[in-house]
């Protein structure tokens, strides 16, 4: 498929004009950022793995009736998606205490939460994506109450499905980020799931060892970042040939770091 003009470039993906009106080509980069892009690096092969993992998850979600922007994978790093009007809100679903939640509230990392928490953040890199409430969303018109109801309902449904899917392959879904967009039919807008779901935006821990299998390995300089992403893909059945026989052993990375 011939590549067309670039529409947008973010920290992890590039969007190009699609082959038909209302479509885009989403390209997955190997670039990695953390702490609001204060830390930058490259995770070799990340774009290829995230493309496959996100495709797998979005297709699975579509089978249970969750509407998404995903149409089909184009090649190793690109997928064809529906063009949407992104709702400027990041939706974070938390099942286990980790990340900013532990810092804000002084909760020990790994604490199982009594109930799932949904948090909202305003998408603005210059402001550091500040946490917001539904009152802020309503006040500034970022989404209607009906849209927020749809977003919250879909977030819980996605969480329930993914928690079971990952648990079946020995992974605990600690928390993850979702983004949503509007598709228009005349004057009527409908909310659908957009962006991606991959180890870039999920905290995924091995159920038995609590080893991190996500971008926290990059954030915290734990080593074995590429191997962690590969392990998630392997358990999902997305790697082929010799890659399926790879054994994940983080002890070597700890030894390199003197731990």
């Amino acid at each position: 498929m011939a590549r067309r003009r670039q529409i947008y470039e973010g920290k992890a993906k590039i969007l190009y004009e699609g082959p038909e009106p209302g479509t885009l080509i989403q390209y997955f980069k190997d670039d990695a950022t953390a702490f609001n892009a204060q830390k930058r690096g490259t995770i070799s092969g990340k774009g290829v793995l995230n493309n496959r993992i996100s495709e797998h998850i979005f297709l699975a979600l579509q089978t249970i009736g969750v509407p998404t922007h995903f149409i089909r994978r184009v090649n190793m790093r690109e997928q064809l998606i529906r063009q949407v009007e992104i709702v400027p809100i990041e939706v974070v679903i938390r099942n286990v205490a980790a990340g900013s939640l532990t810092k804000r509230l002084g909760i020990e990392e790994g604490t199982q939460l009594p109930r799932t928490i949904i948090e909202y953040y305003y998408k603005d890199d210059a402001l550091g994506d500040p946490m917001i409430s539904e009152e802020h969303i309503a006040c500034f018109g970022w989404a209607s109450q009906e849209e927020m109801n749809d977003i919250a309902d879909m977030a819980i449904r996605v969480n329930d499905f993914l928690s079971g899917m990952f648990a079946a392959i020995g992974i605990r879904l600690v928390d993850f980020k979702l983004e949503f967009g509007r598709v228009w039919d005349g004057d009527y807008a409908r909310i659908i799931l957009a962006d991606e779901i991959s180890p870039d935006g999920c905290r995924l821990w091995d159920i038995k060892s609590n080893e991190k299998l996500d971008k926290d390995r990059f954030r915290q300089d734990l080593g074995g970042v590429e191997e962690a992403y590969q392990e998630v893909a392997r358990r999902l059945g997305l790697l082929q040939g010799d890659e399926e026989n790879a054994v994940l052993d983080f002890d070597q990375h700890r030894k390199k770091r003197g731990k």
Side-chain angles (χ1 to χ4, degrees):
M1 182 178 294
R3 181 172 296 169
R4 303 189 179 185
R5 67 184 179 90
Q6 181 175 316
I7 303 296
Y8 167 81
E9 180 169 4
K11 290 175 282 191
K13 294 181 293 295
I14 304 174
L15 297 179
Y16 296 97
E17 185 178 55
E20 299 174 358
T23 66
L24 296 172
I25 296 294
Q26 182 168 253
Y27 175 92
F28 288 77
K29 302 193 291 184
D30 284 349
D31 296 356
T33 63
F35 312 118
N36 198 28
Q38 293 179 29
K39 180 178 182 179
R40 296 177 179 272
T42 300
I43 302 174
S44 179
K46 176 175 78 75
V48 173
L49 292 169
N50 282 355
N51 187 21
R52 293 291 306 277
I53 292 169
S54 192
E55 172 199 19
H56 178 82
I57 292 174
F58 273 52
L59 286 174
L61 290 172
Q62 288 175 6
T63 66
I64 64 165
V66 176
T68 82
H69 73 167
F70 180 83
I71 300 174
R72 62 181 173 85
R73 179 160 51 93
V74 176
N75 54 45
M76 291 179 66
R77 288 186 179 271
E78 295 180 329
Q79 53 185 231
L80 182 67
I81 60 173
R82 297 183 66 179
Q83 187 170 15
V84 301
E85 177 188 317
I86 288 289
V87 178
I89 300 165
E90 290 186 353
V91 182
V92 175
I93 300 91
R94 300 184 183 275
N95 300 307
V96 178
S100 64
L101 182 67
T102 62
K103 297 175 183 177
R104 280 187 276 123
L105 302 181
I107 301 173
E108 183 179 358
E109 182 182 75
T111 302
Q112 182 69 43
L113 299 176
R115 54 173 287 178
T116 297
I117 296 174
I118 300 180
E119 297 176 343
Y120 303 110
Y121 296 81
Y122 180 52
K123 280 176 57 63
D124 189 309
D125 288 341
L127 299 176
D129 299 332
M131 188 176 179
I132 56 176
S133 68
E134 290 196 53
E135 288 294 316
H136 293 107
I137 296 168
C139 178
F140 297 109
W142 293 323
S144 68
Q145 187 58 57
E146 181 180 358
E147 288 176 329
M148 289 308 299
N149 291 341
D150 289 343
I151 285 172
D153 288 346
M154 270 193 271
I156 291 298
R157 190 173 188 188
V158 170
N159 182 55
D160 289 345
F161 179 81
L162 293 188
S163 292
M165 185 189 78
F166 280 118
I169 55 175
I171 294 176
R172 177 178 294 111
L173 180 59
V174 173
D175 59 37
F176 63 105
K177 173 183 72 73
L178 295 177
E179 294 190 22
F180 295 87
R182 300 181 183 93
V183 289
W184 292 86
D185 182 9
D187 294 331
Y188 175 74
R190 182 166 60 99
I191 293 291
I192 66 173
L193 185 63
D195 195 45
E196 66 173 303
I197 300 178
S198 73
D200 265 12
C202 303
R203 282 192 172 90
L204 304 169
W205 296 356
D206 180 85
I207 286 178
K208 292 182 179 179
S209 68
N210 279 333
E211 288 284 5
K212 295 176 170 64
L213 304 174
D214 54 67
K215 200 167 73 171
D216 269 354
R217 302 199 70 85
F218 170 75
R219 293 187 185 97
Q220 300 171 15
D221 296 317
L222 297 176
V225 185
E226 293 90 347
E227 291 87 344
Y229 281 61
Q230 290 168 7
E231 178 69 4
V232 174
R234 184 188 67 80
R235 295 195 194 184
L236 288 170
L238 303 178
L239 295 185
Q240 299 177 352
D242 293 338
E243 294 172 310
E244 292 182 345
N245 299 319
V247 176
L248 184 67
D249 182 5
F250 285 122
D251 285 341
Q252 60 180 310
H253 302 292
R254 278 190 288 271
K255 289 176 182 176
K256 289 179 182 178
R257 299 175 62 246
K259 293 189 176 181

